[in-house]
């Protein structure tokens, strides 16, 4: 019997006691304990192992925790460290990831209840060292009558009680600390929530004599000016830093070991293409959520196609917000990323959620997309500017989907126009096909709002022709794939229809000259490329196969059409 994969739990004791497959990240504990003089905020994308690592850290440190949980793990070889710290510390453990309130009052109640439950788990109300007033506050946290002041001082009170009871300073662990602030920003009560967290974390971590240190995890950093006012002993570690780089995400060796364990070695190249590519400091890692879920699918069906596991669990708010703000200018950069290219953008880990509202254009959003896991970094350019790229095929596909979705809603196109284009291409009517696309290009590029907003036309219009055409084609019932692998390379666009039993393979060219002769020559070159690269192999099962070459210059195109079968 093979071990099961931990798909539905991020609780470390459950994973170990349940006999689940576990990628050993226990040396994360050693790195945390290597510097106990500072509190730490570790920033990683969602579903990158933060919760499991924090649960593991709690299970190692907490008084009374079973030592056998770590038998056979790398940390168990650190004998001196285990003797000094394993099951030796009072631990306050809080996870804020499921706090999704619609208003501040509800959020206050949810936070109070969460902290009250932790106090109950720790048995605080049974401690003889607490006086009547302190016990009353603990009760308020649990029965939804706590005030802002009660919540502000709650972690301080709990750590004080633990110190009096055990004679030891506590360690405070807060997982997904920024989830309530993110929700507050979306629902319009950010300032109130920032004020609450300023008091809560300030009292918990600022010169608290009852805390050894704290570890917080999250996706985005909320700057000290907004929340950490006065908390001067917290160090922030993001994907730009070397520290903790190998402990979140799977290394190539770890992915290979997992596939080997389940006899799936032949799928390693697929896993690398779809889920590899993230850089954490100098470490290259795979997306752990996607790897585990894909491996689970392949155990059930070894030939299963890989899917967008991580991307499909995310909202596309960041990408959509960027496109709404900057229109085609942002779309141009996303096009570069979709095609495997890079962009140079500012990344500041000190950005706040408020910046999403206050910063004009998409400047803050590029950094947010990096922190959220849509992008990874290649190199530091200067100051806060980095060369960024989409890490893998999963993310490129997700960006393409989001870009197409936005463009459909923003461009003046409809299904009728798409059907006209398909009919013209199948009939070999190049002039009619040109008229449809040229009309669309003219309308899009001359629009005064929508995709043309916010100064989008300071960049070359030609760079958008591919996506504009792809969006039009996607409005019909045909299946449309951009950068589709076929023959000896990738075709720009492949359109297929089971109903029509037909496939249309499109190759695009750009011309520096806009005269008909130059454009016609480029369009014919595109047809020759389709034939030379054997792109028709992508359409072997279809009765009719048509090659289409499109040459663009500014707001116009010329089309060549050749029926291959």
């Amino acid at each position: 019997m093979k071990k099961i994969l931990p798909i539905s739990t991020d609780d470390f004791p459950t994973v170990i006691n349940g006999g689940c497959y576990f990628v050993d990240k226990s040396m994360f504990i050693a790195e945390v304990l290597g510097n106990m003089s500072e509190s730490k905020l570790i920033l990683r994308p969602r579903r990158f192992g933060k919760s499991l690592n924090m649960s593991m850290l709690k299970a190692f440190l907490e008084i009374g925790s079973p030592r056998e949980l770590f038998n056979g793990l790398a940390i168990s070889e650190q004998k001196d460290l285990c003797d000094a710290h394993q099951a030796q510390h009072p631990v306050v453990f809080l996870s804020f990831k499921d706090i999704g309130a619609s208003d501040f009052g509800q959020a206050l109640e949810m936070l109070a209840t969460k902290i009250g439950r932790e106090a109950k788990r720790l048995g605080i109300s049974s401690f003889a060292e607490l006086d009547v007033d302190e016990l009353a506050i603990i009760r308020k946290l649990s029965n939804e009558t706590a005030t802002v002041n009660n919540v502000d001082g709650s972690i301080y009170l709990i750590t004080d009680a633990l110190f009096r009871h055990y004679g030891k300073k506590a360690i405070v662990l807060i997982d997904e600390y920024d989830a309530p602030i993110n929700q507050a920003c979306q629902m319009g009560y950010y300032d109130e929530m920032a004020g609450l967290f300023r008091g809560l974390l300030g009292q918990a971590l600022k010169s608290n004599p009852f805390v050894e240190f704290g570890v917080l995890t999250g996706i985005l950093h909320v700057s000290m000016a907004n929340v950490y006012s006065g908390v001067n002993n917290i160090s922030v570690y993001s994907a730009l830093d070397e520290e903790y780089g190998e402990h979140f995400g799977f290394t190539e060796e770890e992915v290979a070991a997992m596939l080997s364990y389940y006899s799936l070695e032949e799928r390693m190249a697929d896993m690398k293409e779809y889920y590899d590519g993230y850089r954490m400091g100098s470490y290259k890692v795979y997306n752990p959520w996607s790897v585990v879920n894909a491996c689970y699918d392949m155990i059930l069906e070894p030939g299963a196609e890989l899917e967008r596991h991580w991307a499909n669990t995310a909202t596309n708010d960041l990408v959509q917000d960027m496109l709404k703000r900057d229109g085609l200018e942002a779309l141009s950069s996303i096009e570069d990323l979709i095609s495997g290219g890079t962009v140079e953008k500012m990344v500041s880990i000190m950005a706040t959620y408020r910046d999403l509202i206050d910063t004009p254009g998409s400047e803050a959003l590029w950094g947010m997309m990096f922190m959220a896991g849509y992008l990874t970094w290649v190199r530091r350019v200067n100051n806060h500017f980095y060369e960024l790229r989409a890490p893998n095929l999963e993310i490129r596909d997700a960006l393409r989907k989001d870009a197409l979705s936005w463009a459909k809603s923003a461009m003046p196109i409809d299904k009728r126009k798409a059907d006209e284009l398909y009919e013209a291409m199948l009939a070999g009517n190049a002039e009619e096909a040109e008229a449809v696309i040229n009309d669309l290009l003219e309308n899009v590029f001359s629009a005064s709002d929508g995709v043309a907003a916010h100064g989008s036309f300071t960049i070359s219009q030609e760079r958008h022709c591919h996506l504009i055409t792809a969006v039009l084609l996607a409005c019909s019932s045909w299946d449309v794939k951009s950068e589709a692998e076929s023959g000896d390379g990738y075709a720009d666009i492949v359109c297929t229809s089971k109903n029509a039993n037909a496939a249309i393979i499109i190759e695009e060219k750009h011309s520096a000259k806009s005269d008909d002769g130059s454009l016609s020559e480029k369009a014919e070159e595109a047809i020759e490329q389709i034939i030379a690269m054997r792109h028709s192999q992508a359409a072997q099962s279809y009765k009719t196969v048509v090659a289409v070459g499109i040459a663009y210059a500014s707001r116009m195109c010329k089309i060549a059409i050749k029926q291959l079968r």
Side-chain angles (χ1 to χ4, degrees):
M1 292 289 293
K2 295 288 187 180
K3 294 181 178 181
I4 62 173
L5 285 163
I7 296 293
S8 59
T9 182
D10 51 23
D11 179 67
F12 176 76
T14 300
V15 170
I16 299 300
N17 291 330
C20 297
Y21 188 96
F22 178 66
V23 177
D24 188 354
K25 296 292 184 180
S26 62
M27 290 307 291
F28 167 68
I29 300 167
E31 187 161 359
V32 168
L33 296 176
N35 186 354
M36 297 176 63
S37 64
E38 64 173 20
S39 290
K40 306 159 181 65
L41 170 59
I42 302 172
L43 302 174
R44 290 296 185 273
R46 59 186 179 75
R47 300 189 186 278
F48 252 72
K50 298 187 297 294
S51 297
L52 183 56
N53 275 358
M54 291 287 273
S55 177
M56 177 180 66
L57 184 59
K58 168 183 172 288
F60 182 86
L61 295 170
E62 189 164 50
I63 292 172
S65 185
R67 290 174 174 263
E68 59 269 19
L69 287 173
F70 293 87
N71 288 348
L73 299 183
I75 193 68
S76 66
E77 301 298 321
Q78 308 292 312
K79 302 297 184 183
D80 291 343
L81 185 146
C82 290
D83 289 343
H85 296 289
Q86 190 171 10
Q88 299 293 316
H89 299 271
V91 174
V92 178
F93 181 82
L94 296 165
S95 174
F96 293 155
K97 63 182 175 182
D98 56 353
I99 294 179
S102 59
D103 57 57
F104 179 70
Q106 185 184 21
L108 179 64
E109 289 181 5
M110 294 178 75
L111 280 167
T113 300
K114 178 78 69 173
I115 297 169
R117 287 175 181 170
E118 178 64 2
K120 183 177 180 180
R121 185 189 74 84
L122 293 167
I124 299 298
S125 60
S126 66
F127 291 178
E129 294 84 359
L130 269 67
D131 61 30
V132 173
D133 292 336
E134 291 169 331
L135 288 171
I137 293 174
I138 296 297
R139 284 195 296 271
K140 286 183 178 181
L141 293 171
S142 301
N143 63 18
E144 300 182 357
T145 60
T147 66
V148 169
N149 287 338
N150 295 150
V151 173
D152 276 352
S154 59
I155 296 178
Y156 185 96
L157 172 59
I158 291 171
T159 56
D160 180 6
L162 290 170
F163 181 77
R164 281 182 272 167
H165 186 72
Y166 291 106
K168 293 183 176 183
K169 293 183 179 182
I171 294 172
V172 175
L173 308 179
I174 303 178
D175 187 35
E176 303 289 0
Y177 87 105
D178 58 333
I181 305 171
N182 179 23
Q183 179 72 6
C185 185
Q186 294 180 36
M187 302 305 295
Y189 57 94
Y190 174 85
D191 291 335
E192 294 167 289
M193 183 59 74
L196 175 62
F197 265 67
R198 188 180 301 117
L200 178 68
L201 297 182
Q203 292 193 48
L205 301 176
K206 176 188 175 183
S207 304
N208 184 345
F210 311 116
V211 170
E212 190 75 47
F213 65 89
V215 180
L216 289 71
T217 67
I219 297 174
L220 299 179
H221 184 219
V222 183
S223 75
M224 291 185 181
N226 286 66
V227 169
Y228 298 127
S229 179
V231 183
N232 55 11
N233 66 330
I234 190 163
S235 298
V236 182
Y237 300 99
S238 73
L240 299 172
D241 299 303
E242 189 73 7
E243 293 85 351
Y244 308 105
E246 64 182 316
H247 303 309
F248 297 86
F250 295 159
T251 66
E252 186 152 321
E253 293 75 16
E254 289 166 342
V255 175
M258 181 184 294
L259 293 180
S260 177
Y261 178 79
Y262 292 106
S263 302
L264 295 168
E265 297 93 331
E266 73 280 359
R267 302 302 302 272
M268 186 65 189
D270 294 336
M271 298 286 268
K272 184 175 183 65
E273 181 182 27
Y274 268 79
Y275 308 129
D276 189 18
Y278 287 93
R279 178 177 178 181
M280 306 291 175
S282 63
Y283 295 94
K284 305 295 178 65
V285 299
Y286 289 64
N287 184 312
W289 174 259
S290 292
V291 167
V292 170
N293 280 274
C295 194
Y296 180 83
D297 289 346
M298 291 187 294
I299 292 170
L300 298 178
E301 184 183 347
E305 293 186 6
L306 301 189
E307 299 181 8
R308 295 193 299 261
H309 290 286
W310 181 87
N312 284 345
T313 63
T315 64
N316 60 1
D317 293 345
L318 286 174
V319 181
Q320 295 298 312
D321 196 0
M322 181 182 298
L323 289 165
K324 288 175 183 176
R325 294 186 189 206
D326 280 3
L328 288 177
E329 187 168 356
L331 189 59
S332 174
S333 295
I334 292 176
E335 285 183 70
D336 289 338
L337 295 168
I338 290 171
S339 63
T342 63
V343 297
E344 292 184 5
K345 301 292 180 181
M346 186 177 77
V347 174
S348 173
I349 65 169
M350 299 301 290
T352 72
Y353 283 100
R354 192 77 197 181
D355 291 334
L356 292 175
I357 300 172
D358 295 341
T359 303
S362 61
E363 181 178 299
L365 281 163
W366 285 107
M368 299 294 184
M369 285 183 66
F370 166 74
M371 302 297 285
Y374 283 99
L375 305 174
T376 192
W377 67 289
V378 178
R379 65 184 179 92
R380 181 174 178 269
V381 179
N382 57 63
N383 296 325
H384 294 300
F385 281 82
Y386 288 82
E387 184 180 1
L388 306 172
R389 65 179 178 84
N392 50 49
L393 186 58
E394 177 183 29
I395 301 302
R396 293 198 298 274
D397 280 351
L399 290 174
R400 180 181 292 112
K401 178 183 176 183
D402 289 344
L404 285 172
S405 175
W406 172 81
K408 280 184 181 181
S409 66
M411 293 180 185
I413 57 179
D414 55 39
K415 182 178 183 298
R416 181 180 58 84
K417 284 291 184 184
D419 289 339
E420 288 178 8
L421 179 57
Y422 280 112
E423 290 172 7
M425 290 189 294
L426 287 175
N429 191 333
E431 290 184 1
E432 185 175 331
E434 288 167 8
V436 174
I437 295 179
N438 285 335
D439 181 61
L440 175 62
L441 295 178
E442 182 67 28
N443 285 333
V444 170
F445 287 130
S446 63
S448 60
D449 53 13
V451 295
H454 308 296
S456 297
F457 298 123
T458 59
I459 55 177
S460 170
Q461 297 167 343
E462 294 178 3
R463 302 181 64 191
H464 309 297
C465 292
H466 164 82
L467 190 59
I468 292 171
T469 301
V471 169
L472 174 60
L473 291 165
C475 285
S476 184
S477 59
W478 286 57
D479 181 52
V480 179
K481 292 184 178 179
S482 295
E483 298 296 323
E485 186 174 6
S486 179
D488 298 326
Y490 291 83
D492 286 337
I493 303 176
V494 174
C495 309
T496 56
S497 170
K498 291 183 179 179
N499 290 335
N501 198 10
I504 298 174
I505 302 166
I506 300 173
E507 192 68 33
E508 298 164 309
K509 300 287 184 182
H510 294 285
S511 174
K513 299 178 180 179
S514 59
D515 61 279
D516 284 353
S518 298
L519 283 172
S520 296
E521 184 178 343
K522 284 285 186 180
E524 291 295 341
E525 285 180 16
I527 294 285
E528 293 171 5
Q529 183 172 328
I530 291 172
I531 297 171
M533 298 297 289
R534 301 185 301 125
H535 288 326
S536 61
Q537 284 194 359
Q540 290 181 344
S541 61
Y542 293 93
K543 179 180 179 180
T544 301
V545 180
V546 175
V548 176
I550 306 178
Y552 300 105
S554 187
R555 302 184 185 187
M556 63 178 294
C557 76
K558 287 291 283 187
I559 292 179
I561 301 175
K562 182 179 180 64
Q563 186 163 334
L564 302 181
R565 186 165 65 244

